[in-house]
Amino acid sequence: HQGLLSIQQPSHWIQARMPAPETQALTNWLKPKRKKKLFSFRKKNDRRFFRRAFQGSKTCATNPESWGNSEYFLSKELPSIYNFHWMGDFLDWPTTLPELTQKCPIVWTLHDINPTQGAWHYTPVEDEINDERTKWEQRAYSIKENALREVDPRRLVFVGPSKWMVDQCKESALTNKFESIHIPYGLDATIFSPIDTNTAKKALGIDPSQKVIGFIADSISDPRKGIAALHQALNALEGKVAPILLTVGSSSETLPNNNQIDLGSLRDDRLLRLFYSACDVFICPSRQDNLPNTVLESMACQTPS
């Protein structure tokens, strides 16, 4: 969005959730005053039962029937093209996709593989699957299948930041009739650039002589983020001088590591640059992921990943 504006191309950013303070001026926040009235009695009950079924799941799952119908898009000036991003729990698949693609084409930049399956946003681990969740997954899949059946393949293109995500689109019966393109994420290298490692460590109160391993996860307990692999790697260091584990994330959970320093959630790119520069190595042991910006940011700060 900012890149388009910088070359004098008109771009309008619409966000369904409350924007962060630093993006407030760039965002048109969609919050319907009558949100609850938009749902029929059946749909309200379905959403309640859906949330109950997936409560406690560490893998994200969302209902394809939601409040973000075409009214919110078409109330604005019709653009030349829509660029979708993460649409979970906002996009109402049955009403929005068929109608919107008739008005103008959609390029959907994926942040997970939810469009290629039913409710799940990634493949869940085995112990997260039960009969009730499988029922909702099948129902969500059917809803998406019916919606996409009405969409002209020439009017919807999927973009995957990694080749793995493009492969998921090509292999899914839901999305394989649509074109899918690999476009990696970009990064502002003027923001993410190296700081002297010792200087960065001192700024964070760490002895420069200490070796530091970096790890970022929104939820440290999310099995998709490879917490089990990280545990194995740390346990393999027993009997040796243990490095400091420097972590960043919005979750309050911590790892069983006495040398852990948790910086909490960092929203400021300058602080993230300091974090990466303080690390001797950055670890991203994800089992499934789109193409984490953390790896690109670490590399831009010249921290081995």
Side-chain angles (χ1 to χ4, degrees):
H1 171 68
Q2 290 173 316
L4 288 170
L5 293 179
S6 70
I7 58 173
Q8 288 74 54
Q9 289 295 320
S11 176
H12 190 63
W13 179 3
I14 300 177
Q15 188 164 312
R17 295 180 179 176
M18 172 66 83
E22 63 269 21
T23 63
Q24 182 79 52
L26 299 173
T27 307
N28 179 23
W29 179 35
L30 292 179
K31 183 182 179 183
K33 297 179 180 178
R34 299 168 58 253
K35 180 176 177 179
K36 293 183 178 179
K37 297 181 180 180
L38 297 174
F39 298 113
S40 65
F41 178 77
R42 179 196 62 79
K43 191 177 286 189
K44 284 181 183 178
N45 280 336
D46 283 350
R47 287 174 62 79
R48 184 170 71 252
F49 293 139
F50 179 93
R51 286 195 297 269
R52 186 182 301 170
F54 287 93
Q55 187 174 5
S57 169
K58 294 175 181 177
T59 301
C60 180
T62 55
N63 193 329
E65 292 184 305
S66 197
W67 61 271
N69 58 41
S70 56
E71 171 190 347
Y72 295 101
F73 294 96
L74 300 178
S75 64
K76 307 294 180 183
E77 181 181 355
L78 196 66
S80 302
I81 193 168
Y82 285 109
N83 182 198
F84 283 3
H85 284 268
W86 202 87
M87 305 295 283
D89 212 28
F90 165 66
L91 182 68
D92 187 60
W93 282 69
T95 63
T96 308
L97 276 178
E99 182 176 359
L100 216 56
T101 51
Q102 291 176 6
K103 303 292 184 181
C104 66
I106 295 174
V107 172
W108 195 333
T109 301
L110 301 182
H111 293 256
D112 54 42
I113 57 173
N114 179 253
T116 70
Q117 45 194 17
W120 297 108
H121 283 248
Y122 282 100
T123 304
V125 295
E126 188 175 348
D127 62 5
E128 290 184 306
I129 302 173
N130 56 40
D131 290 343
E132 188 175 12
R133 288 174 179 173
T134 298
K135 179 193 73 173
W136 283 107
E137 168 66 14
Q138 293 171 345
R139 183 179 184 277
Y141 188 97
S142 179
I143 290 171
K144 292 180 176 182
E145 187 176 40
N146 292 334
L148 290 173
R149 190 178 292 122
E150 300 181 41
V151 175
D152 185 336
R154 297 168 298 179
R155 308 286 286 179
L156 175 61
V157 174
F158 290 101
V159 170
S162 68
K163 293 179 180 179
W164 173 76
M165 295 193 76
V166 172
D167 289 341
Q168 297 299 303
C169 288
K170 292 179 178 178
E171 293 169 7
S172 170
L174 282 176
T175 54
N176 61 12
K177 75 172 184 178
F178 302 98
E179 185 178 6
S180 52
I181 301 173
H182 175 220
I183 303 178
Y185 289 145
L187 197 69
D188 188 344
T190 62
I191 296 177
F192 290 98
S193 57
I195 300 173
D196 175 71
T197 303
N198 289 343
T199 301
K201 287 179 180 179
K202 288 178 181 178
L204 295 175
I206 299 173
D207 184 343
S209 66
Q210 287 273 5
K211 294 298 182 182
V212 177
I213 293 175
F215 176 73
I216 293 181
D218 187 53
S219 176
I220 289 175
S221 65
D222 185 345
R224 179 176 61 84
K225 291 296 184 179
I227 191 67
L230 182 56
H231 279 168
Q232 290 177 353
L234 292 173
N235 290 337
L237 297 175
E238 287 185 1
K240 302 177 182 179
V241 177
I244 289 176
L245 180 63
L246 190 62
T247 60
V248 170
S250 59
S251 172
S252 60
E253 300 166 83
T254 56
L255 293 169
N257 186 292
N258 293 330
N259 290 336
Q260 180 181 357
I261 298 176
D262 182 30
L263 299 179
S265 179
L266 298 182
R267 300 292 181 184
D268 190 311
D269 288 343
R270 292 168 297 180
L271 292 177
L272 282 171
R273 177 191 177 207
L274 188 67
F275 158 78
Y276 291 118
S277 296
C279 298
D280 294 287
V281 64
F282 176 75
I283 295 180
C284 181
S286 294
R287 299 173 59 194
Q288 299 180 80
D289 233 323
N290 52 2
L291 177 66
N293 271 349
T294 55
V295 174
L296 302 181
E297 292 165 356
S298 172
M299 292 171 65
C301 293
Q302 296 185 7
T303 300
S305 301

